[in-house]
mmCIF file of all heavy atoms in Angstrom:
data_model
loop_
_atom_site.group_PDB
_atom_site.id
_atom_site.type_symbol
_atom_site.label_atom_id
_atom_site.label_comp_id
_atom_site.label_asym_id
_atom_site.label_seq_id
_atom_site.Cartn_x
_atom_site.Cartn_y
_atom_site.Cartn_z
ATOM 1 N N LYS A 1 -117.260 -17.110 189.419
ATOM 2 C CA LYS A 1 -118.675 -16.853 189.698
ATOM 3 C C LYS A 1 -118.821 -15.965 190.939
ATOM 4 O O LYS A 1 -119.672 -15.068 190.980
ATOM 5 C CB LYS A 1 -119.426 -18.168 189.895
ATOM 6 C CG LYS A 1 -119.579 -18.983 188.616
ATOM 7 C CD LYS A 1 -120.308 -20.290 188.882
ATOM 8 C CE LYS A 1 -120.416 -21.110 187.602
ATOM 9 N NZ LYS A 1 -121.104 -22.409 187.831
ATOM 10 N N LYS A 2 -117.985 -16.204 191.936
ATOM 11 C CA LYS A 2 -118.030 -15.378 193.139
ATOM 12 C C LYS A 2 -117.606 -13.948 192.819
ATOM 13 O O LYS A 2 -118.205 -12.985 193.331
ATOM 14 C CB LYS A 2 -117.112 -15.979 194.209
ATOM 15 C CG LYS A 2 -117.611 -17.315 194.757
ATOM 16 C CD LYS A 2 -116.677 -17.851 195.821
ATOM 17 C CE LYS A 2 -117.182 -19.186 196.367
ATOM 18 N NZ LYS A 2 -116.272 -19.740 197.410
ATOM 19 N N ILE A 3 -116.592 -13.803 191.982
ATOM 20 C CA ILE A 3 -116.144 -12.473 191.560
ATOM 21 C C ILE A 3 -117.261 -11.754 190.816
ATOM 22 O O ILE A 3 -117.504 -10.557 191.023
ATOM 23 C CB ILE A 3 -114.889 -12.564 190.677
ATOM 24 C CG1 ILE A 3 -113.681 -13.064 191.489
ATOM 25 C CG2 ILE A 3 -114.576 -11.222 190.018
ATOM 26 C CD1 ILE A 3 -113.229 -12.105 192.564
ATOM 27 N N SER A 4 -117.956 -12.474 189.941
ATOM 28 C CA SER A 4 -119.046 -11.867 189.172
ATOM 29 C C SER A 4 -120.127 -11.326 190.095
ATOM 30 O O SER A 4 -120.643 -10.223 189.886
ATOM 31 C CB SER A 4 -119.645 -12.880 188.193
ATOM 32 O OG SER A 4 -118.767 -13.111 187.105
ATOM 33 N N ARG A 5 -120.482 -12.076 191.107
ATOM 34 C CA ARG A 5 -121.506 -11.614 192.043
ATOM 35 C C ARG A 5 -121.028 -10.370 192.798
ATOM 36 O O ARG A 5 -121.797 -9.432 193.028
ATOM 37 C CB ARG A 5 -121.882 -12.729 193.026
ATOM 38 C CG ARG A 5 -122.679 -13.863 192.386
ATOM 39 C CD ARG A 5 -123.118 -14.872 193.430
ATOM 40 N NE ARG A 5 -124.054 -14.307 194.403
ATOM 41 C CZ ARG A 5 -125.363 -14.224 194.229
ATOM 42 N NH1 ARG A 5 -125.906 -14.645 193.093
ATOM 43 N NH2 ARG A 5 -126.146 -13.711 195.162
ATOM 44 N N LYS A 6 -119.764 -10.364 193.179
ATOM 45 C CA LYS A 6 -119.222 -9.205 193.890
ATOM 46 C C LYS A 6 -119.202 -7.969 192.997
ATOM 47 O O LYS A 6 -119.500 -6.860 193.452
ATOM 48 C CB LYS A 6 -117.818 -9.524 194.406
ATOM 49 C CG LYS A 6 -117.803 -10.513 195.564
ATOM 50 C CD LYS A 6 -116.386 -10.804 196.043
ATOM 51 C CE LYS A 6 -116.380 -11.783 197.222
ATOM 52 N NZ LYS A 6 -115.012 -12.086 197.682
ATOM 53 N N LEU A 7 -118.839 -8.144 191.722
ATOM 54 C CA LEU A 7 -118.820 -7.017 190.791
ATOM 55 C C LEU A 7 -120.230 -6.478 190.558
ATOM 56 O O LEU A 7 -120.438 -5.261 190.508
ATOM 57 C CB LEU A 7 -118.185 -7.444 189.461
ATOM 58 C CG LEU A 7 -116.674 -7.659 189.467
ATOM 59 C CD1 LEU A 7 -116.223 -8.264 188.145
ATOM 60 C CD2 LEU A 7 -115.932 -6.347 189.722
ATOM 61 N N ALA A 8 -121.172 -7.391 190.400
ATOM 62 C CA ALA A 8 -122.560 -6.970 190.191
ATOM 63 C C ALA A 8 -123.057 -6.175 191.396
ATOM 64 O O ALA A 8 -123.672 -5.108 191.252
ATOM 65 C CB ALA A 8 -123.456 -8.181 189.944
ATOM 66 N N ALA A 9 -122.786 -6.695 192.589
ATOM 67 C CA ALA A 9 -123.210 -5.994 193.798
ATOM 68 C C ALA A 9 -122.508 -4.644 193.924
ATOM 69 O O ALA A 9 -123.116 -3.654 194.360
ATOM 70 C CB ALA A 9 -122.916 -6.850 195.032
ATOM 71 N N HIS A 10 -121.253 -4.582 193.528
ATOM 72 C CA HIS A 10 -120.464 -3.349 193.648
ATOM 73 C C HIS A 10 -121.061 -2.214 192.832
ATOM 74 O O HIS A 10 -121.071 -1.062 193.281
ATOM 75 C CB HIS A 10 -119.021 -3.616 193.204
ATOM 76 C CG HIS A 10 -118.101 -2.454 193.389
ATOM 77 N ND1 HIS A 10 -117.656 -2.047 194.625
ATOM 78 C CD2 HIS A 10 -117.540 -1.593 192.491
ATOM 79 C CE1 HIS A 10 -116.858 -0.998 194.493
ATOM 80 N NE2 HIS A 10 -116.773 -0.700 193.210
ATOM 81 N N ILE A 11 -121.578 -2.521 191.643
ATOM 82 C CA ILE A 11 -122.142 -1.449 190.814
ATOM 83 C C ILE A 11 -123.588 -1.136 191.172
ATOM 84 O O ILE A 11 -124.164 -0.180 190.652
ATOM 85 C CB ILE A 11 -122.026 -1.757 189.306
ATOM 86 C CG1 ILE A 11 -122.906 -2.933 188.904
ATOM 87 C CG2 ILE A 11 -120.570 -1.973 188.898
ATOM 88 C CD1 ILE A 11 -122.990 -3.145 187.398
ATOM 89 N N GLY A 12 -124.172 -1.954 192.060
ATOM 90 C CA GLY A 12 -125.518 -1.648 192.532
ATOM 91 C C GLY A 12 -126.599 -2.645 192.169
ATOM 92 O O GLY A 12 -127.788 -2.405 192.414
ATOM 93 N N PHE A 13 -126.243 -3.791 191.589
ATOM 94 C CA PHE A 13 -127.220 -4.822 191.236
ATOM 95 C C PHE A 13 -127.920 -5.310 192.495
ATOM 96 O O PHE A 13 -127.282 -5.689 193.474
ATOM 97 C CB PHE A 13 -126.507 -5.984 190.535
ATOM 98 C CG PHE A 13 -127.412 -7.046 189.984
ATOM 99 C CD1 PHE A 13 -127.893 -6.955 188.686
ATOM 100 C CD2 PHE A 13 -127.777 -8.143 190.745
ATOM 101 C CE1 PHE A 13 -128.722 -7.935 188.163
ATOM 102 C CE2 PHE A 13 -128.608 -9.128 190.232
ATOM 103 C CZ PHE A 13 -129.079 -9.022 188.935
ATOM 104 N N ASP A 14 -129.225 -5.288 192.473
ATOM 105 C CA ASP A 14 -130.045 -5.657 193.628
ATOM 106 C C ASP A 14 -130.477 -7.117 193.495
ATOM 107 O O ASP A 14 -131.325 -7.449 192.665
ATOM 108 C CB ASP A 14 -131.269 -4.736 193.696
ATOM 109 C CG ASP A 14 -132.141 -4.977 194.924
ATOM 110 O OD1 ASP A 14 -131.900 -5.967 195.643
ATOM 111 O OD2 ASP A 14 -133.071 -4.185 195.141
ATOM 112 N N PHE A 15 -129.917 -7.985 194.338
ATOM 113 C CA PHE A 15 -130.217 -9.412 194.230
ATOM 114 C C PHE A 15 -131.608 -9.759 194.754
ATOM 115 O O PHE A 15 -132.058 -10.899 194.603
ATOM 116 C CB PHE A 15 -129.144 -10.235 194.952
ATOM 117 C CG PHE A 15 -127.857 -10.344 194.176
ATOM 118 C CD1 PHE A 15 -126.833 -9.441 194.395
ATOM 119 C CD2 PHE A 15 -127.696 -11.318 193.210
ATOM 120 C CE1 PHE A 15 -125.647 -9.519 193.680
ATOM 121 C CE2 PHE A 15 -126.516 -11.410 192.479
ATOM 122 C CZ PHE A 15 -125.489 -10.509 192.713
ATOM 123 N N ASP A 16 -132.300 -8.801 195.352
ATOM 124 C CA ASP A 16 -133.705 -9.004 195.701
ATOM 125 C C ASP A 16 -134.610 -8.745 194.500
ATOM 126 O O ASP A 16 -135.788 -9.093 194.522
ATOM 127 C CB ASP A 16 -134.111 -8.076 196.847
ATOM 128 C CG ASP A 16 -133.506 -8.500 198.178
ATOM 129 O OD1 ASP A 16 -133.203 -9.697 198.335
ATOM 130 O OD2 ASP A 16 -133.330 -7.640 199.051
ATOM 131 N N ARG A 17 -134.053 -8.117 193.469
ATOM 132 C CA ARG A 17 -134.804 -7.834 192.241
ATOM 133 C C ARG A 17 -134.243 -8.582 191.039
ATOM 134 O O ARG A 17 -134.829 -8.521 189.960
ATOM 135 C CB ARG A 17 -134.756 -6.335 191.930
ATOM 136 C CG ARG A 17 -135.494 -5.431 192.885
ATOM 137 C CD ARG A 17 -135.275 -3.977 192.502
ATOM 138 N NE ARG A 17 -136.005 -3.058 193.370
ATOM 139 C CZ ARG A 17 -136.883 -2.166 192.953
ATOM 140 N NH1 ARG A 17 -137.151 -2.054 191.663
ATOM 141 N NH2 ARG A 17 -137.489 -1.363 193.790
ATOM 142 N N GLY A 18 -133.104 -9.230 191.202
ATOM 143 C CA GLY A 18 -132.474 -9.852 190.042
ATOM 144 C C GLY A 18 -131.667 -11.092 190.383
ATOM 145 O O GLY A 18 -131.355 -11.349 191.546
ATOM 146 N N VAL A 19 -131.341 -11.855 189.344
ATOM 147 C CA VAL A 19 -130.528 -13.064 189.486
ATOM 148 C C VAL A 19 -129.485 -13.100 188.375
ATOM 149 O O VAL A 19 -129.625 -12.430 187.347
ATOM 150 C CB VAL A 19 -131.386 -14.348 189.428
ATOM 151 C CG1 VAL A 19 -132.358 -14.421 190.586
ATOM 152 C CG2 VAL A 19 -132.132 -14.433 188.097
ATOM 153 N N ILE A 20 -128.440 -13.880 188.611
ATOM 154 C CA ILE A 20 -127.405 -14.108 187.600
ATOM 155 C C ILE A 20 -127.374 -15.593 187.286
ATOM 156 O O ILE A 20 -127.322 -16.427 188.190
ATOM 157 C CB ILE A 20 -126.014 -13.666 188.089
ATOM 158 C CG1 ILE A 20 -126.000 -12.195 188.471
ATOM 159 C CG2 ILE A 20 -124.964 -13.931 187.006
ATOM 160 C CD1 ILE A 20 -124.662 -11.713 189.024
ATOM 161 N N ALA A 21 -127.412 -15.937 186.006
ATOM 162 C CA ALA A 21 -127.325 -17.331 185.576
ATOM 163 C C ALA A 21 -126.274 -17.438 184.468
ATOM 164 O O ALA A 21 -125.588 -16.467 184.150
ATOM 165 C CB ALA A 21 -128.682 -17.821 185.091
ATOM 166 N N GLU A 22 -126.159 -18.619 183.901
ATOM 167 C CA GLU A 22 -125.209 -18.856 182.814
ATOM 168 C C GLU A 22 -125.947 -19.138 181.512
ATOM 169 O O GLU A 22 -127.032 -19.725 181.514
ATOM 170 C CB GLU A 22 -124.312 -20.055 183.128
ATOM 171 C CG GLU A 22 -123.346 -19.850 184.267
ATOM 172 C CD GLU A 22 -122.485 -21.076 184.514
ATOM 173 O OE1 GLU A 22 -121.719 -21.455 183.599
ATOM 174 O OE2 GLU A 22 -122.597 -21.668 185.607
ATOM 175 N N SER A 23 -125.343 -18.725 180.405
ATOM 176 C CA SER A 23 -125.888 -19.047 179.086
ATOM 177 C C SER A 23 -124.754 -19.016 178.078
ATOM 178 O O SER A 23 -123.659 -18.507 178.357
ATOM 179 C CB SER A 23 -126.976 -18.038 178.685
ATOM 180 O OG SER A 23 -126.429 -16.747 178.546
ATOM 181 N N ALA A 24 -125.019 -19.530 176.884
ATOM 182 C CA ALA A 24 -123.989 -19.555 175.845
ATOM 183 C C ALA A 24 -123.601 -18.147 175.420
ATOM 184 O O ALA A 24 -122.460 -17.891 175.036
ATOM 185 C CB ALA A 24 -124.480 -20.352 174.636
ATOM 186 N N HIS A 25 -124.559 -17.248 175.483
ATOM 187 C CA HIS A 25 -124.334 -15.857 175.090
ATOM 188 C C HIS A 25 -124.904 -14.968 176.187
ATOM 189 O O HIS A 25 -126.087 -15.042 176.484
ATOM 190 C CB HIS A 25 -125.036 -15.563 173.761
ATOM 191 C CG HIS A 25 -124.691 -14.225 173.178
ATOM 192 N ND1 HIS A 25 -123.834 -14.085 172.116
ATOM 193 C CD2 HIS A 25 -125.070 -12.980 173.521
ATOM 194 C CE1 HIS A 25 -123.719 -12.801 171.811
ATOM 195 N NE2 HIS A 25 -124.467 -12.108 172.660
ATOM 196 N N PRO A 26 -124.078 -14.138 176.845
ATOM 197 C CA PRO A 26 -124.587 -13.292 177.927
ATOM 198 C C PRO A 26 -125.727 -12.375 177.466
ATOM 199 O O PRO A 26 -125.681 -11.842 176.360
ATOM 200 C CB PRO A 26 -123.355 -12.468 178.326
ATOM 201 C CG PRO A 26 -122.188 -13.300 177.920
ATOM 202 C CD PRO A 26 -122.621 -13.973 176.656
ATOM 203 N N PHE A 27 -126.737 -12.223 178.300
ATOM 204 C CA PHE A 27 -127.845 -11.338 177.951
ATOM 205 C C PHE A 27 -128.572 -10.885 179.215
ATOM 206 O O PHE A 27 -128.358 -11.418 180.312
ATOM 207 C CB PHE A 27 -128.822 -12.015 176.995
ATOM 208 C CG PHE A 27 -129.624 -13.151 177.597
ATOM 209 C CD1 PHE A 27 -130.903 -12.935 178.093
ATOM 210 C CD2 PHE A 27 -129.104 -14.450 177.644
ATOM 211 C CE1 PHE A 27 -131.651 -13.975 178.640
ATOM 212 C CE2 PHE A 27 -129.845 -15.500 178.190
ATOM 213 C CZ PHE A 27 -131.118 -15.262 178.691
ATOM 214 N N THR A 28 -129.425 -9.894 179.044
ATOM 215 C CA THR A 28 -130.278 -9.391 180.120
ATOM 216 C C THR A 28 -131.726 -9.485 179.665
ATOM 217 O O THR A 28 -132.040 -9.178 178.517
ATOM 218 C CB THR A 28 -129.957 -7.915 180.437
ATOM 219 O OG1 THR A 28 -128.605 -7.813 180.864
ATOM 220 C CG2 THR A 28 -130.877 -7.378 181.529
ATOM 221 N N THR A 29 -132.594 -9.906 180.554
ATOM 222 C CA THR A 29 -134.017 -9.888 180.255
ATOM 223 C C THR A 29 -134.758 -9.391 181.492
ATOM 224 O O THR A 29 -134.262 -9.497 182.613
ATOM 225 C CB THR A 29 -134.536 -11.272 179.833
ATOM 226 O OG1 THR A 29 -135.824 -11.139 179.245
ATOM 227 C CG2 THR A 29 -134.624 -12.228 181.012
ATOM 228 N N SER A 30 -135.916 -8.822 181.261
ATOM 229 C CA SER A 30 -136.665 -8.234 182.366
ATOM 230 C C SER A 30 -138.146 -8.542 182.232
ATOM 231 O O SER A 30 -138.732 -8.342 181.173
ATOM 232 C CB SER A 30 -136.454 -6.708 182.375
ATOM 233 O OG SER A 30 -137.308 -6.084 183.303
ATOM 234 N N LEU A 31 -138.738 -9.039 183.323
ATOM 235 C CA LEU A 31 -140.188 -9.191 183.363
ATOM 236 C C LEU A 31 -140.825 -7.877 183.776
ATOM 237 O O LEU A 31 -141.887 -7.511 183.300
ATOM 238 C CB LEU A 31 -140.589 -10.300 184.335
ATOM 239 C CG LEU A 31 -140.531 -11.730 183.787
ATOM 240 C CD1 LEU A 31 -139.090 -12.198 183.643
ATOM 241 C CD2 LEU A 31 -141.306 -12.685 184.690
ATOM 242 N N HIS A 32 -140.149 -7.182 184.695
ATOM 243 C CA HIS A 32 -140.547 -5.861 185.163
ATOM 244 C C HIS A 32 -139.426 -5.368 186.063
ATOM 245 O O HIS A 32 -138.397 -6.045 186.215
ATOM 246 C CB HIS A 32 -141.894 -5.900 185.900
ATOM 247 C CG HIS A 32 -142.033 -7.023 186.876
ATOM 248 N ND1 HIS A 32 -141.354 -7.063 188.082
ATOM 249 C CD2 HIS A 32 -142.749 -8.182 186.820
ATOM 250 C CE1 HIS A 32 -141.653 -8.168 188.730
ATOM 251 N NE2 HIS A 32 -142.501 -8.878 187.983
ATOM 252 N N ASN A 33 -139.586 -4.204 186.673
ATOM 253 C CA ASN A 33 -138.480 -3.612 187.422
ATOM 254 C C ASN A 33 -138.147 -4.323 188.733
ATOM 255 O O ASN A 33 -137.165 -3.982 189.386
ATOM 256 C CB ASN A 33 -138.735 -2.115 187.687
ATOM 257 C CG ASN A 33 -139.961 -1.870 188.557
ATOM 258 O OD1 ASN A 33 -140.770 -2.770 188.794
ATOM 259 N ND2 ASN A 33 -140.115 -0.643 189.028
ATOM 260 N N LYS A 34 -138.920 -5.324 189.084
ATOM 261 C CA LYS A 34 -138.628 -6.105 190.289
ATOM 262 C C LYS A 34 -138.243 -7.546 189.959
ATOM 263 O O LYS A 34 -138.136 -8.382 190.860
ATOM 264 C CB LYS A 34 -139.821 -6.060 191.246
ATOM 265 C CG LYS A 34 -140.086 -4.659 191.799
ATOM 266 C CD LYS A 34 -141.325 -4.624 192.664
ATOM 267 C CE LYS A 34 -141.538 -3.228 193.253
ATOM 268 N NZ LYS A 34 -141.744 -2.189 192.214
ATOM 269 N N ASP A 35 -138.039 -7.815 188.679
ATOM 270 C CA ASP A 35 -137.569 -9.138 188.244
ATOM 271 C C ASP A 35 -136.726 -8.960 186.984
ATOM 272 O O ASP A 35 -137.231 -9.007 185.862
ATOM 273 C CB ASP A 35 -138.745 -10.076 187.980
ATOM 274 C CG ASP A 35 -138.296 -11.516 187.748
ATOM 275 O OD1 ASP A 35 -137.098 -11.737 187.481
ATOM 276 O OD2 ASP A 35 -139.145 -12.426 187.838
ATOM 277 N N VAL A 36 -135.436 -8.737 187.205
ATOM 278 C CA VAL A 36 -134.488 -8.491 186.118
ATOM 279 C C VAL A 36 -133.414 -9.578 186.165
ATOM 280 O O VAL A 36 -132.828 -9.814 187.224
ATOM 281 C CB VAL A 36 -133.842 -7.096 186.240
ATOM 282 C CG1 VAL A 36 -132.920 -6.832 185.057
ATOM 283 C CG2 VAL A 36 -134.910 -6.012 186.342
ATOM 284 N N ARG A 37 -133.155 -10.218 185.051
ATOM 285 C CA ARG A 37 -132.265 -11.384 185.029
ATOM 286 C C ARG A 37 -131.126 -11.188 184.041
ATOM 287 O O ARG A 37 -131.360 -10.750 182.919
ATOM 288 C CB ARG A 37 -133.070 -12.638 184.671
ATOM 289 C CG ARG A 37 -134.287 -12.803 185.580
ATOM 290 C CD ARG A 37 -135.145 -13.976 185.178
ATOM 291 N NE ARG A 37 -136.329 -14.048 186.033
ATOM 292 C CZ ARG A 37 -136.967 -15.169 186.334
ATOM 293 N NH1 ARG A 37 -136.539 -16.323 185.845
ATOM 294 N NH2 ARG A 37 -138.025 -15.144 187.115
ATOM 295 N N ILE A 38 -129.929 -11.505 184.493
ATOM 296 C CA ILE A 38 -128.770 -11.417 183.609
ATOM 297 C C ILE A 38 -128.048 -12.758 183.577
ATOM 298 O O ILE A 38 -128.186 -13.578 184.482
ATOM 299 C CB ILE A 38 -127.791 -10.299 184.043
ATOM 300 C CG1 ILE A 38 -127.072 -10.661 185.354
ATOM 301 C CG2 ILE A 38 -128.514 -8.977 184.190
ATOM 302 C CD1 ILE A 38 -125.986 -9.666 185.738
ATOM 303 N N THR A 39 -127.320 -12.968 182.498
ATOM 304 C CA THR A 39 -126.497 -14.175 182.403
ATOM 305 C C THR A 39 -125.080 -13.782 182.010
ATOM 306 O O THR A 39 -124.838 -12.682 181.504
ATOM 307 C CB THR A 39 -127.020 -15.158 181.338
ATOM 308 O OG1 THR A 39 -126.784 -14.628 180.027
ATOM 309 C CG2 THR A 39 -128.502 -15.433 181.504
ATOM 310 N N THR A 40 -124.179 -14.691 182.251
ATOM 311 C CA THR A 40 -122.819 -14.530 181.749
ATOM 312 C C THR A 40 -122.303 -15.909 181.370
ATOM 313 O O THR A 40 -122.930 -16.925 181.657
ATOM 314 C CB THR A 40 -121.909 -13.848 182.791
ATOM 315 O OG1 THR A 40 -120.685 -13.459 182.173
ATOM 316 C CG2 THR A 40 -121.612 -14.762 183.966
ATOM 317 N N ALA A 41 -121.158 -15.926 180.703
ATOM 318 C CA ALA A 41 -120.513 -17.186 180.320
ATOM 319 C C ALA A 41 -119.101 -17.159 180.880
ATOM 320 O O ALA A 41 -118.433 -16.116 180.867
ATOM 321 C CB ALA A 41 -120.486 -17.333 178.798
ATOM 322 N N TYR A 42 -118.642 -18.281 181.382
ATOM 323 C CA TYR A 42 -117.337 -18.350 182.048
ATOM 324 C C TYR A 42 -116.343 -19.155 181.218
ATOM 325 O O TYR A 42 -116.659 -20.246 180.745
ATOM 326 C CB TYR A 42 -117.487 -18.973 183.434
ATOM 327 C CG TYR A 42 -118.382 -18.179 184.343
ATOM 328 C CD1 TYR A 42 -119.743 -18.466 184.425
ATOM 329 C CD2 TYR A 42 -117.879 -17.131 185.100
ATOM 330 C CE1 TYR A 42 -120.580 -17.728 185.251
ATOM 331 C CE2 TYR A 42 -118.711 -16.387 185.929
ATOM 332 C CZ TYR A 42 -120.059 -16.686 186.003
ATOM 333 O OH TYR A 42 -120.884 -15.951 186.804
ATOM 334 N N LEU A 43 -115.152 -18.599 181.062
ATOM 335 C CA LEU A 43 -114.070 -19.259 180.347
ATOM 336 C C LEU A 43 -112.887 -19.432 181.300
ATOM 337 O O LEU A 43 -112.434 -18.459 181.914
ATOM 338 C CB LEU A 43 -113.637 -18.431 179.126
ATOM 339 C CG LEU A 43 -114.725 -18.139 178.095
ATOM 340 C CD1 LEU A 43 -114.205 -17.178 177.031
ATOM 341 C CD2 LEU A 43 -115.205 -19.434 177.450
ATOM 342 N N GLU A 44 -112.411 -20.634 181.428
ATOM 343 C CA GLU A 44 -111.357 -20.924 182.402
ATOM 344 C C GLU A 44 -110.071 -20.154 182.104
ATOM 345 O O GLU A 44 -109.350 -19.760 183.035
ATOM 346 C CB GLU A 44 -111.067 -22.429 182.426
ATOM 347 C CG GLU A 44 -110.173 -22.853 183.566
ATOM 348 C CD GLU A 44 -109.992 -24.357 183.622
ATOM 349 O OE1 GLU A 44 -109.470 -24.935 182.640
ATOM 350 O OE2 GLU A 44 -110.387 -24.958 184.643
ATOM 351 N N ASN A 45 -109.800 -19.915 180.836
ATOM 352 C CA ASN A 45 -108.551 -19.260 180.451
ATOM 353 C C ASN A 45 -108.765 -17.842 179.927
ATOM 354 O O ASN A 45 -108.048 -17.374 179.043
ATOM 355 C CB ASN A 45 -107.813 -20.107 179.406
ATOM 356 C CG ASN A 45 -107.470 -21.488 179.940
ATOM 357 O OD1 ASN A 45 -108.032 -22.487 179.510
ATOM 358 N ND2 ASN A 45 -106.563 -21.542 180.899
ATOM 359 N N ASN A 46 -109.759 -17.169 180.491
ATOM 360 C CA ASN A 46 -110.007 -15.779 180.111
ATOM 361 C C ASN A 46 -110.725 -15.080 181.264
ATOM 362 O O ASN A 46 -111.936 -15.116 181.373
ATOM 363 C CB ASN A 46 -110.839 -15.703 178.829
ATOM 364 C CG ASN A 46 -110.905 -14.294 178.262
ATOM 365 O OD1 ASN A 46 -110.861 -13.316 178.995
ATOM 366 N ND2 ASN A 46 -111.027 -14.197 176.954
ATOM 367 N N LEU A 47 -109.952 -14.426 182.118
ATOM 368 C CA LEU A 47 -110.510 -13.792 183.303
ATOM 369 C C LEU A 47 -111.427 -12.630 182.950
ATOM 370 O O LEU A 47 -112.485 -12.445 183.559
ATOM 371 C CB LEU A 47 -109.369 -13.293 184.198
ATOM 372 C CG LEU A 47 -109.770 -12.507 185.453
ATOM 373 C CD1 LEU A 47 -110.587 -13.385 186.386
ATOM 374 C CD2 LEU A 47 -108.534 -11.962 186.161
#
């Protein structure tokens, strides 16, 4: 999870405009350009 946040920040993800959560299937949703939300799923045996 820490790596994911670092990767997101590295490519330019703005945590003042977005959040990262978990879901069964990764997706992105947006309310508007100042509220953009992404999810990912974590597997212990698949980096």
